[in-house]
Amino acid sequence: MKRNTILIIILLLWSLSPFLWQVYTSFSTTTSILKPFSFIEHKWTLQNYIKVIESNPPFWRYLLNSAIVGSTSTILTLFLAIPASYAISKSNNHQRKITKIFLFLTSLFPYVLLFLSLLEMARKLNIGNNLLALSIPYSALSLPLAILLLSSAFQDLPNDIEEAARIEGLGLVQRMKWILFPLIAPATASTAIIIFLFSWNEYPIALTWISKSEMITLPVAIARIAGSSVFSVPYGAYAAATVLGAVPLMIIVLLFQKQIISGLTQGAIKG
Amino acid sequence: MTLILKGISRSINRNWIIKELNFEVDDGECLAILGPSGCGKSSTLRVIAGLDKPDEGEIYINNIDVTNVSPVARRVGMVFQNYALYPHLSVASNLSLGLKVRGVSKVEQRKRVSSILSVLQLDHLSTRLPAELSGGQRQRVALARALLRDPLVYLLDEPMSNLDAQLREELRPELRRLILNGQQPVLYVTHDQQEAMAMADRIALLNNGFLEQIGTPEELYKNPRSIFTAKFIGRPQINFLKFKDGLITAVRPENIYLSREGYQCKVIYKEWLGMNQLLFLESSLGSIKMICKSDLKVNEKVTVNWDTKDEFQFDTHTGKRLDKAITKSKQIISR
Amino acid sequence: MNILLLLPALILIFIVFVIPIVRYYWLSIHASSVMTGLIPVPNNGSNWLRILSDDRFWQDLFQTLRFTFTSVTIEILLAIVIALLLNQKFQGRGIIRAISLLPWALPTTIMALGWRWIFNTPYGPIEQIFTLLGIGTINILSNPHLAWIATVIADVWKTTPFIMIILLAGLQTIPSDLYEAFKLEGGTEIQSFFKITFPLLQPYLIISILFRIAQAFGVFDLIQVMTGGGPANSTESLGLYAYINSMRFLDFGYSATIIFLTFIILIGFCILGWLLISQSKRFLSSEI
């Protein structure tokens, strides 16, 4: 038991300390940042946060942009994935197997390699610099996993429940509304959170599609900060930015840990 | 109200699941569909409900051809083996959902649901979720849903198989009171021959998708037309004794008695059943089971016999009944 | 009717996953750069000739492979240990699982920036500790031989939780009575890991290894933010090189060639990995 406690403490330190170090730096004055281990003369400050919040465009703008892209992508993905998953769960074994293998392979694909062609498409269709348009590639990239998760949720529903509803006179739309949606709600929630996290965090496509600084998403904003600061020492403001960028996600993970874990594990077991 | 099946067949991947089923169920009659698992019982029910399409044949409900009619329009009340209650809805909502989509007014919905709940003594459970009910209670909710459908035909798919033996016995009278005593034809699928004999007016015994024999429980017991029927109906299972090539003689354990003349046997072991005991005997004819009241000991030597009128004779190759009793049973059916 | 429900999703997937690959091949046999005004002009495979003798490409391939195999190996081993640890019953298990999942959920760019600060010379905590211990600075991010190790550490930190959760799911599918039965037969804890846990965990290990190899092969965000590919291109991955070629040098034709070749090599490695896994499976099952 003792050994496990020590291991768990090491695990927690390993998981949290890089982030805690950012928090520590973000509250330190520039002189204290240069001597991080001189605890006696350490001076605390909120100045770094004020700098980040007052920057132009203000930092919350990036959070808002990411939240918008995250939500629209999630909605669009679910809108496409739920009917598709239902169809797959109702198709015969052979078709289902082939579709699932195809989806599994696409979900393995390192999507970074797609950026060039997607950029060309965005230019041709003139949808660069448009937050809502960004949800189209995000949905496409999330669809394979979303369909895998939701189709196994549909498959797990006992057939006879839907049949009982059919005999009672419920049409497809009514069955969806009264029976199927409520029953796959937990799987839908898990899927939605995983799509949201992906869209919130996505970098290469957002980087190439969006150039207007008031439209960039959080990861791109952070990378720009990084790019502009390669050799600059006053890191305090950057640390404050990373903390502000990380906190909303940490809240999401802690609130929805059950859904996230069940979503990932369902993906592994059934995928 | 009658249900008629004419030459119904269904195949999956070129395998026949059911083949040329013909039978009628009259007003208020209960027909049990009996057979081992995989014999096509549930498929038959699903075809009648309209959940699956037959490859051949026609189905008539009230003399109307419903073969190509949707499940809803057939107006069947079905009780599923696992009850198929909507797990996210309360008992009351489970019952009212169907009424709602069929356009029954809110007031009427409430009235009908509460009256059916009181008939089934479920009033106090109306706000519970299915997961919070016992097996017997779930089964009654499923019955209530079928009753509310006001169906033309009742289809019961192994309605008791998920209940323990004691509950089953308690629920039988209730099932009789609510469903079997009505005007509608009832189809009762089960794999349990005792349940079929207890509940049904007639039994249709299926074997590998074919109708093996159909008749009253008594007919099937007293005049089995094949080895399969003889084996399937009656517990403990019938004895098969081989006297000569091409012919099998079968005698039910309850018809064998101790006698001064007959066949020499040794008791191998015994099962005490309370009312009597089941003896497993070894003889020159092979092993014999018999039901016996007197207390015999293991390894004891006994002599047993039976009356010729209690013998059935079957053809080894076709499995069909050979002795003349078969004509008698035909006469019974035609009468 | 089924097809109609499925079609919108399949079309979108097709547009985003399949068309680009065809397009890359097509672009790779064209010149499409500032010189041509970004209008593709057939160039008789000169992109392909160029890539064969492009030292930077082969150097980046080597770096990408080195990064992939080191980080995936460490991640798998670490994830097994953590999953075994978190599969035990103790108080607060849920919250500890959630905390250990945090690194995976944070945007890569954010923590890449954070790790860059941690490895900063001389103000980052690592250099500070080394200085306090009297070892002196090691300049890890500006050392072409060491910088890639820093990126591996950051990647291990970020993606181990993902594998850990999948393996944890795998562990939970193993019925505990198997361990009890094995114990009654006299098996030790270590034997039960190798004879029960490991074989039954195999499908989950295979899925996570495949998934991680593919993702690590496409590493981009982490490298771009943490080192920018430097020092001396020593940490540059193939994804980053393709990005630089298209966005900085505006040579779309060559960038597409790099991506297409990367894709082919990745498929090759996946097939190789698959063969190795199925071979080792046969070997393992004959062993047991």
Side-chain angles (χ1 to χ4, degrees), chain A residues 4 14 22 108-109 113 117 120 201 203 207 226 229 249 265, chain C residues 23-24 88 105 107 114 116 157 169 215 221 224 243 263:
Chain A
N4 283 348
W14 162 248
Q22 303 298 308
L108 278 184
F109 193 85
L113 300 181
S117 186
E120 281 191 318
N201 293 350
Y203 176 63
L207 176 69
S229 70
L249 282 192
T265 48
Chain C
R23 173 74 180 165
Y24 288 144
Q88 286 160 353
R116 195 171 92 186
W157 180 80
Q215 297 305 312
D221 317 18
Q224 205 217 11
Y243 173 81
F263 178 66

PDB file of all heavy atoms in Angstrom, chain A residues 4 14 22 108-109 113 117 120 201 203 207 226 229 249 265, chain C residues 23-24 88 105 107 114 116 157 169 215 221 224 243 263:
ATOM      1  N   ASN A   4       2.416   2.047  -3.324  1.00  0.00           N
ATOM      2  CA  ASN A   4       1.462   2.656  -4.244  1.00  0.00           C
ATOM      3  C   ASN A   4       1.268   4.132  -3.964  1.00  0.00           C
ATOM      4  O   ASN A   4       1.160   4.932  -4.890  1.00  0.00           O
ATOM      5  CB  ASN A   4       0.105   1.953  -4.129  1.00  0.00           C
ATOM      6  CG  ASN A   4       0.130   0.618  -4.838  1.00  0.00           C
ATOM      7  OD1 ASN A   4       1.080   0.344  -5.581  1.00  0.00           O
ATOM      8  ND2 ASN A   4      -0.864  -0.197  -4.586  1.00  0.00           N
ATOM      9  N   TRP A  14       4.344  14.536 -11.586  1.00  0.00           N
ATOM     10  CA  TRP A  14       4.710  14.481 -12.997  1.00  0.00           C
ATOM     11  C   TRP A  14       3.621  15.102 -13.873  1.00  0.00           C
ATOM     12  O   TRP A  14       3.897  15.855 -14.792  1.00  0.00           O
ATOM     13  CB  TRP A  14       4.968  13.021 -13.374  1.00  0.00           C
ATOM     14  CG  TRP A  14       4.959  12.676 -14.822  1.00  0.00           C
ATOM     15  CD1 TRP A  14       4.045  11.901 -15.467  1.00  0.00           C
ATOM     16  CD2 TRP A  14       5.917  13.046 -15.811  1.00  0.00           C
ATOM     17  NE1 TRP A  14       4.365  11.786 -16.787  1.00  0.00           N
ATOM     18  CE2 TRP A  14       5.524  12.479 -17.023  1.00  0.00           C
ATOM     19  CE3 TRP A  14       7.093  13.816 -15.785  1.00  0.00           C
ATOM     20  CZ2 TRP A  14       6.226  12.639 -18.212  1.00  0.00           C
ATOM     21  CZ3 TRP A  14       7.796  13.984 -16.970  1.00  0.00           C
ATOM     22  CH2 TRP A  14       7.365  13.401 -18.175  1.00  0.00           C
ATOM     23  N   GLN A  22       4.159  26.941 -14.618  1.00  0.00           N
ATOM     24  CA  GLN A  22       3.625  28.085 -15.372  1.00  0.00           C
ATOM     25  C   GLN A  22       2.863  29.022 -14.433  1.00  0.00           C
ATOM     26  O   GLN A  22       2.996  30.235 -14.510  1.00  0.00           O
ATOM     27  CB  GLN A  22       2.663  27.613 -16.475  1.00  0.00           C
ATOM     28  CG  GLN A  22       3.261  26.645 -17.455  1.00  0.00           C
ATOM     29  CD  GLN A  22       4.416  27.234 -18.213  1.00  0.00           C
ATOM     30  OE1 GLN A  22       4.301  28.309 -18.782  1.00  0.00           O
ATOM     31  NE2 GLN A  22       5.543  26.543 -18.197  1.00  0.00           N
ATOM     32  N   LEU A 108      -7.010   6.775 -37.668  1.00  0.00           N
ATOM     33  CA  LEU A 108      -5.575   6.632 -37.376  1.00  0.00           C
ATOM     34  C   LEU A 108      -4.752   7.681 -38.110  1.00  0.00           C
ATOM     35  O   LEU A 108      -3.649   8.019 -37.701  1.00  0.00           O
ATOM     36  CB  LEU A 108      -5.077   5.257 -37.830  1.00  0.00           C
ATOM     37  CG  LEU A 108      -5.289   4.049 -36.951  1.00  0.00           C
ATOM     38  CD1 LEU A 108      -4.616   2.833 -37.579  1.00  0.00           C
ATOM     39  CD2 LEU A 108      -4.728   4.280 -35.570  1.00  0.00           C
ATOM     40  N   PHE A 109      -5.267   8.182 -39.202  1.00  0.00           N
ATOM     41  CA  PHE A 109      -4.495   9.007 -40.122  1.00  0.00           C
ATOM     42  C   PHE A 109      -3.946  10.264 -39.431  1.00  0.00           C
ATOM     43  O   PHE A 109      -4.686  10.989 -38.776  1.00  0.00           O
ATOM     44  CB  PHE A 109      -5.409   9.422 -41.280  1.00  0.00           C
ATOM     45  CG  PHE A 109      -4.680  10.010 -42.435  1.00  0.00           C
ATOM     46  CD1 PHE A 109      -4.139   9.207 -43.407  1.00  0.00           C
ATOM     47  CD2 PHE A 109      -4.522  11.382 -42.538  1.00  0.00           C
ATOM     48  CE1 PHE A 109      -3.455   9.747 -44.473  1.00  0.00           C
ATOM     49  CE2 PHE A 109      -3.839  11.937 -43.599  1.00  0.00           C
ATOM     50  CZ  PHE A 109      -3.306  11.117 -44.572  1.00  0.00           C
ATOM     51  N   LEU A 113      -0.919  15.941 -42.102  1.00  0.00           N
ATOM     52  CA  LEU A 113      -0.531  15.837 -43.500  1.00  0.00           C
ATOM     53  C   LEU A 113      -1.604  16.377 -44.444  1.00  0.00           C
ATOM     54  O   LEU A 113      -1.350  16.563 -45.624  1.00  0.00           O
ATOM     55  CB  LEU A 113      -0.240  14.367 -43.844  1.00  0.00           C
ATOM     56  CG  LEU A 113       0.880  13.715 -43.044  1.00  0.00           C
ATOM     57  CD1 LEU A 113       1.098  12.286 -43.493  1.00  0.00           C
ATOM     58  CD2 LEU A 113       2.169  14.512 -43.166  1.00  0.00           C
ATOM     59  N   SER A 117      -3.606  20.422 -48.690  1.00  0.00           N
ATOM     60  CA  SER A 117      -4.744  20.268 -49.582  1.00  0.00           C
ATOM     61  C   SER A 117      -5.968  21.013 -49.048  1.00  0.00           C
ATOM     62  O   SER A 117      -6.713  21.642 -49.802  1.00  0.00           O
ATOM     63  CB  SER A 117      -5.046  18.783 -49.744  1.00  0.00           C
ATOM     64  OG  SER A 117      -6.040  18.592 -50.682  1.00  0.00           O
ATOM     65  N   GLU A 120      -5.618  24.602 -49.835  1.00  0.00           N
ATOM     66  CA  GLU A 120      -5.990  24.865 -51.235  1.00  0.00           C
ATOM     67  C   GLU A 120      -7.503  24.949 -51.394  1.00  0.00           C
ATOM     68  O   GLU A 120      -8.025  25.824 -52.084  1.00  0.00           O
ATOM     69  CB  GLU A 120      -5.462  23.742 -52.132  1.00  0.00           C
ATOM     70  CG  GLU A 120      -3.997  23.855 -52.460  1.00  0.00           C
ATOM     71  CD  GLU A 120      -3.624  22.870 -53.566  1.00  0.00           C
ATOM     72  OE1 GLU A 120      -4.109  21.713 -53.519  1.00  0.00           O
ATOM     73  OE2 GLU A 120      -2.877  23.244 -54.460  1.00  0.00           O
ATOM     74  N   ASN A 201      -8.440  22.387 -29.483  1.00  0.00           N
ATOM     75  CA  ASN A 201      -6.979  22.261 -29.454  1.00  0.00           C
ATOM     76  C   ASN A 201      -6.334  22.228 -30.825  1.00  0.00           C
ATOM     77  O   ASN A 201      -5.114  22.313 -30.925  1.00  0.00           O
ATOM     78  CB  ASN A 201      -6.589  20.968 -28.724  1.00  0.00           C
ATOM     79  CG  ASN A 201      -6.944  21.024 -27.255  1.00  0.00           C
ATOM     80  OD1 ASN A 201      -7.302  22.085 -26.746  1.00  0.00           O
ATOM     81  ND2 ASN A 201      -6.859  19.905 -26.578  1.00  0.00           N
ATOM     82  N   TYR A 203      -4.496  22.697 -34.237  1.00  0.00           N
ATOM     83  CA  TYR A 203      -3.556  23.758 -34.560  1.00  0.00           C
ATOM     84  C   TYR A 203      -3.260  23.944 -36.046  1.00  0.00           C
ATOM     85  O   TYR A 203      -3.494  25.030 -36.579  1.00  0.00           O
ATOM     86  CB  TYR A 203      -2.273  23.524 -33.752  1.00  0.00           C
ATOM     87  CG  TYR A 203      -1.170  24.497 -34.060  1.00  0.00           C
ATOM     88  CD1 TYR A 203      -1.328  25.866 -33.806  1.00  0.00           C
ATOM     89  CD2 TYR A 203       0.033  24.060 -34.593  1.00  0.00           C
ATOM     90  CE1 TYR A 203      -0.318  26.760 -34.083  1.00  0.00           C
ATOM     91  CE2 TYR A 203       1.041  24.957 -34.871  1.00  0.00           C
ATOM     92  CZ  TYR A 203       0.866  26.306 -34.616  1.00  0.00           C
ATOM     93  OH  TYR A 203       1.857  27.185 -34.897  1.00  0.00           O
ATOM     94  N   LEU A 207      -4.101  27.308 -38.117  1.00  0.00           N
ATOM     95  CA  LEU A 207      -2.938  28.142 -38.436  1.00  0.00           C
ATOM     96  C   LEU A 207      -2.939  28.568 -39.898  1.00  0.00           C
ATOM     97  O   LEU A 207      -2.645  29.717 -40.223  1.00  0.00           O
ATOM     98  CB  LEU A 207      -1.668  27.351 -38.119  1.00  0.00           C
ATOM     99  CG  LEU A 207      -0.326  27.991 -38.466  1.00  0.00           C
ATOM    100  CD1 LEU A 207      -0.074  29.178 -37.566  1.00  0.00           C
ATOM    101  CD2 LEU A 207       0.792  26.965 -38.326  1.00  0.00           C
ATOM    102  N   ALA A 226       4.604  32.420 -28.890  1.00  0.00           N
ATOM    103  CA  ALA A 226       5.856  31.661 -28.834  1.00  0.00           C
ATOM    104  C   ALA A 226       6.784  32.120 -29.945  1.00  0.00           C
ATOM    105  O   ALA A 226       7.982  32.325 -29.738  1.00  0.00           O
ATOM    106  CB  ALA A 226       5.575  30.175 -28.960  1.00  0.00           C
ATOM    107  N   SER A 229       8.637  35.315 -29.353  1.00  0.00           N
ATOM    108  CA  SER A 229       9.394  35.449 -28.102  1.00  0.00           C
ATOM    109  C   SER A 229      10.580  34.510 -28.034  1.00  0.00           C
ATOM    110  O   SER A 229      11.028  34.176 -26.958  1.00  0.00           O
ATOM    111  CB  SER A 229       8.471  35.147 -26.928  1.00  0.00           C
ATOM    112  OG  SER A 229       8.177  33.777 -26.934  1.00  0.00           O
ATOM    113  N   LEU A 249      -9.967  24.430 -20.045  1.00  0.00           N
ATOM    114  CA  LEU A 249      -9.923  22.997 -20.371  1.00  0.00           C
ATOM    115  C   LEU A 249      -9.809  22.139 -19.125  1.00  0.00           C
ATOM    116  O   LEU A 249     -10.401  21.059 -19.053  1.00  0.00           O
ATOM    117  CB  LEU A 249      -8.730  22.714 -21.282  1.00  0.00           C
ATOM    118  CG  LEU A 249      -8.953  23.090 -22.731  1.00  0.00           C
ATOM    119  CD1 LEU A 249      -7.846  22.517 -23.568  1.00  0.00           C
ATOM    120  CD2 LEU A 249     -10.284  22.540 -23.208  1.00  0.00           C
ATOM    121  N   THR A 265     -12.519   5.075 -23.747  1.00  0.00           N
ATOM    122  CA  THR A 265     -12.438   3.630 -23.575  1.00  0.00           C
ATOM    123  C   THR A 265     -13.385   2.909 -24.523  1.00  0.00           C
ATOM    124  O   THR A 265     -13.035   1.888 -25.085  1.00  0.00           O
ATOM    125  CB  THR A 265     -12.767   3.227 -22.127  1.00  0.00           C
ATOM    126  OG1 THR A 265     -13.967   3.893 -21.746  1.00  0.00           O
ATOM    127  CG2 THR A 265     -11.685   3.622 -21.197  1.00  0.00           C
TER     128      THR A 265
ATOM    129  N   ARG C  23      -4.738  14.453 -54.653  1.00  0.00           N
ATOM    130  CA  ARG C  23      -4.261  15.787 -55.019  1.00  0.00           C
ATOM    131  C   ARG C  23      -2.742  15.908 -54.774  1.00  0.00           C
ATOM    132  O   ARG C  23      -2.021  16.487 -55.588  1.00  0.00           O
ATOM    133  CB  ARG C  23      -5.023  16.818 -54.182  1.00  0.00           C
ATOM    134  CG  ARG C  23      -4.550  18.245 -54.311  1.00  0.00           C
ATOM    135  CD  ARG C  23      -4.964  18.853 -55.617  1.00  0.00           C
ATOM    136  NE  ARG C  23      -4.501  20.241 -55.715  1.00  0.00           N
ATOM    137  CZ  ARG C  23      -4.461  20.932 -56.838  1.00  0.00           C
ATOM    138  NH1 ARG C  23      -4.866  20.390 -57.964  1.00  0.00           N
ATOM    139  NH2 ARG C  23      -4.040  22.171 -56.845  1.00  0.00           N
ATOM    140  N   TYR C  24      -2.267  15.331 -53.667  1.00  0.00           N
ATOM    141  CA  TYR C  24      -0.838  15.408 -53.379  1.00  0.00           C
ATOM    142  C   TYR C  24      -0.030  14.713 -54.465  1.00  0.00           C
ATOM    143  O   TYR C  24       0.997  15.224 -54.902  1.00  0.00           O
ATOM    144  CB  TYR C  24      -0.517  14.776 -52.007  1.00  0.00           C
ATOM    145  CG  TYR C  24      -0.985  15.600 -50.836  1.00  0.00           C
ATOM    146  CD1 TYR C  24      -1.470  15.000 -49.687  1.00  0.00           C
ATOM    147  CD2 TYR C  24      -0.930  16.992 -50.880  1.00  0.00           C
ATOM    148  CE1 TYR C  24      -1.901  15.750 -48.615  1.00  0.00           C
ATOM    149  CE2 TYR C  24      -1.369  17.758 -49.798  1.00  0.00           C
ATOM    150  CZ  TYR C  24      -1.859  17.133 -48.682  1.00  0.00           C
ATOM    151  OH  TYR C  24      -2.286  17.878 -47.621  1.00  0.00           O
ATOM    152  N   GLN C  88      -5.915  -0.251  -9.449  1.00  0.00           N
ATOM    153  CA  GLN C  88      -6.156  -0.731  -8.091  1.00  0.00           C
ATOM    154  C   GLN C  88      -7.209   0.130  -7.423  1.00  0.00           C
ATOM    155  O   GLN C  88      -7.473   1.238  -7.844  1.00  0.00           O
ATOM    156  CB  GLN C  88      -4.845  -0.695  -7.306  1.00  0.00           C
ATOM    157  CG  GLN C  88      -3.927  -1.804  -7.753  1.00  0.00           C
ATOM    158  CD  GLN C  88      -2.503  -1.554  -7.383  1.00  0.00           C
ATOM    159  OE1 GLN C  88      -2.162  -0.489  -6.897  1.00  0.00           O
ATOM    160  NE2 GLN C  88      -1.662  -2.524  -7.630  1.00  0.00           N
ATOM    161  N   ALA C 105      -5.443  16.625 -22.343  1.00  0.00           N
ATOM    162  CA  ALA C 105      -6.543  17.488 -22.765  1.00  0.00           C
ATOM    163  C   ALA C 105      -6.094  18.899 -23.124  1.00  0.00           C
ATOM    164  O   ALA C 105      -6.786  19.588 -23.851  1.00  0.00           O
ATOM    165  CB  ALA C 105      -7.606  17.542 -21.673  1.00  0.00           C
ATOM    166  N   PRO C 107      -4.221  22.043 -24.919  1.00  0.00           N
ATOM    167  CA  PRO C 107      -3.721  22.241 -26.277  1.00  0.00           C
ATOM    168  C   PRO C 107      -2.208  22.027 -26.329  1.00  0.00           C
ATOM    169  O   PRO C 107      -1.477  22.478 -25.446  1.00  0.00           O
ATOM    170  CB  PRO C 107      -4.056  23.698 -26.575  1.00  0.00           C
ATOM    171  CG  PRO C 107      -5.122  24.064 -25.633  1.00  0.00           C
ATOM    172  CD  PRO C 107      -4.936  23.208 -24.417  1.00  0.00           C
ATOM    173  N   GLY C 114       5.035  26.007 -22.616  1.00  0.00           N
ATOM    174  CA  GLY C 114       5.393  25.790 -21.220  1.00  0.00           C
ATOM    175  C   GLY C 114       6.680  24.997 -21.080  1.00  0.00           C
ATOM    176  O   GLY C 114       7.576  25.356 -20.309  1.00  0.00           O
ATOM    177  N   ARG C 116       8.996  24.727 -23.252  1.00  0.00           N
ATOM    178  CA  ARG C 116      10.126  25.518 -23.729  1.00  0.00           C
ATOM    179  C   ARG C 116      10.656  26.395 -22.596  1.00  0.00           C
ATOM    180  O   ARG C 116      11.860  26.571 -22.446  1.00  0.00           O
ATOM    181  CB  ARG C 116       9.695  26.394 -24.903  1.00  0.00           C
ATOM    182  CG  ARG C 116      10.890  26.937 -25.646  1.00  0.00           C
ATOM    183  CD  ARG C 116      10.469  27.601 -26.911  1.00  0.00           C
ATOM    184  NE  ARG C 116      10.249  29.013 -26.713  1.00  0.00           N
ATOM    185  CZ  ARG C 116       9.752  29.803 -27.668  1.00  0.00           C
ATOM    186  NH1 ARG C 116       9.396  29.303 -28.830  1.00  0.00           N
ATOM    187  NH2 ARG C 116       9.599  31.079 -27.431  1.00  0.00           N
ATOM    188  N   TRP C 157       5.073  13.315 -21.780  1.00  0.00           N
ATOM    189  CA  TRP C 157       4.207  13.942 -20.761  1.00  0.00           C
ATOM    190  C   TRP C 157       2.799  14.119 -21.299  1.00  0.00           C
ATOM    191  O   TRP C 157       1.816  13.862 -20.621  1.00  0.00           O
ATOM    192  CB  TRP C 157       4.807  15.301 -20.369  1.00  0.00           C
ATOM    193  CG  TRP C 157       4.005  16.018 -19.328  1.00  0.00           C
ATOM    194  CD1 TRP C 157       4.017  15.792 -17.987  1.00  0.00           C
ATOM    195  CD2 TRP C 157       3.068  17.079 -19.550  1.00  0.00           C
ATOM    196  NE1 TRP C 157       3.147  16.635 -17.358  1.00  0.00           N
ATOM    197  CE2 TRP C 157       2.543  17.444 -18.287  1.00  0.00           C
ATOM    198  CE3 TRP C 157       2.619  17.754 -20.680  1.00  0.00           C
ATOM    199  CZ2 TRP C 157       1.603  18.454 -18.129  1.00  0.00           C
ATOM    200  CZ3 TRP C 157       1.680  18.770 -20.524  1.00  0.00           C
ATOM    201  CH2 TRP C 157       1.180  19.110 -19.263  1.00  0.00           C
ATOM    202  N   ALA C 169      -8.901   0.732 -19.691  1.00  0.00           N
ATOM    203  CA  ALA C 169     -10.139   0.119 -20.181  1.00  0.00           C
ATOM    204  C   ALA C 169      -9.908  -1.362 -20.443  1.00  0.00           C
ATOM    205  O   ALA C 169     -10.749  -2.200 -20.130  1.00  0.00           O
ATOM    206  CB  ALA C 169     -10.595   0.807 -21.457  1.00  0.00           C
ATOM    207  N   GLN C 215       0.275   8.988 -35.119  1.00  0.00           N
ATOM    208  CA  GLN C 215       0.198  10.378 -34.661  1.00  0.00           C
ATOM    209  C   GLN C 215       1.592  10.973 -34.453  1.00  0.00           C
ATOM    210  O   GLN C 215       1.847  12.122 -34.822  1.00  0.00           O
ATOM    211  CB  GLN C 215      -0.610  10.483 -33.362  1.00  0.00           C
ATOM    212  CG  GLN C 215      -2.061  10.069 -33.513  1.00  0.00           C
ATOM    213  CD  GLN C 215      -2.778  10.844 -34.611  1.00  0.00           C
ATOM    214  OE1 GLN C 215      -2.697  12.065 -34.685  1.00  0.00           O
ATOM    215  NE2 GLN C 215      -3.459  10.132 -35.496  1.00  0.00           N
ATOM    216  N   ASP C 221       2.710  20.371 -34.103  1.00  0.00           N
ATOM    217  CA  ASP C 221       2.487  21.473 -33.158  1.00  0.00           C
ATOM    218  C   ASP C 221       3.634  21.588 -32.156  1.00  0.00           C
ATOM    219  O   ASP C 221       4.201  22.653 -31.948  1.00  0.00           O
ATOM    220  CB  ASP C 221       1.216  21.268 -32.319  1.00  0.00           C
ATOM    221  CG  ASP C 221       0.027  20.776 -33.100  1.00  0.00           C
ATOM    222  OD1 ASP C 221       0.221  20.270 -34.217  1.00  0.00           O
ATOM    223  OD2 ASP C 221      -1.092  20.897 -32.582  1.00  0.00           O
ATOM    224  N   GLN C 224       6.993  22.685 -33.694  1.00  0.00           N
ATOM    225  CA  GLN C 224       6.979  24.056 -34.206  1.00  0.00           C
ATOM    226  C   GLN C 224       7.050  25.067 -33.073  1.00  0.00           C
ATOM    227  O   GLN C 224       7.760  26.065 -33.163  1.00  0.00           O
ATOM    228  CB  GLN C 224       5.723  24.299 -35.061  1.00  0.00           C
ATOM    229  CG  GLN C 224       5.946  25.402 -36.068  1.00  0.00           C
ATOM    230  CD  GLN C 224       4.717  26.259 -36.282  1.00  0.00           C
ATOM    231  OE1 GLN C 224       3.750  26.168 -35.535  1.00  0.00           O
ATOM    232  NE2 GLN C 224       4.764  27.080 -37.310  1.00  0.00           N
ATOM    233  N   TYR C 243       5.397  21.787 -44.043  1.00  0.00           N
ATOM    234  CA  TYR C 243       4.761  23.070 -43.730  1.00  0.00           C
ATOM    235  C   TYR C 243       5.675  24.236 -44.144  1.00  0.00           C
ATOM    236  O   TYR C 243       5.231  25.191 -44.780  1.00  0.00           O
ATOM    237  CB  TYR C 243       4.462  23.138 -42.227  1.00  0.00           C
ATOM    238  CG  TYR C 243       3.957  24.486 -41.779  1.00  0.00           C
ATOM    239  CD1 TYR C 243       2.634  24.852 -41.949  1.00  0.00           C
ATOM    240  CD2 TYR C 243       4.818  25.402 -41.169  1.00  0.00           C
ATOM    241  CE1 TYR C 243       2.170  26.091 -41.548  1.00  0.00           C
ATOM    242  CE2 TYR C 243       4.367  26.647 -40.763  1.00  0.00           C
ATOM    243  CZ  TYR C 243       3.040  26.983 -40.950  1.00  0.00           C
ATOM    244  OH  TYR C 243       2.597  28.220 -40.557  1.00  0.00           O
ATOM    245  N   PHE C 263       3.532   9.878 -46.425  1.00  0.00           N
ATOM    246  CA  PHE C 263       2.358   9.024 -46.328  1.00  0.00           C
ATOM    247  C   PHE C 263       2.696   7.584 -46.724  1.00  0.00           C
ATOM    248  O   PHE C 263       2.357   6.624 -46.030  1.00  0.00           O
ATOM    249  CB  PHE C 263       1.262   9.607 -47.221  1.00  0.00           C
ATOM    250  CG  PHE C 263       0.009   8.810 -47.245  1.00  0.00           C
ATOM    251  CD1 PHE C 263      -0.769   8.684 -46.109  1.00  0.00           C
ATOM    252  CD2 PHE C 263      -0.406   8.177 -48.400  1.00  0.00           C
ATOM    253  CE1 PHE C 263      -1.935   7.942 -46.125  1.00  0.00           C
ATOM    254  CE2 PHE C 263      -1.560   7.438 -48.425  1.00  0.00           C
ATOM    255  CZ  PHE C 263      -2.321   7.316 -47.288  1.00  0.00           C
TER     256      PHE C 263
END
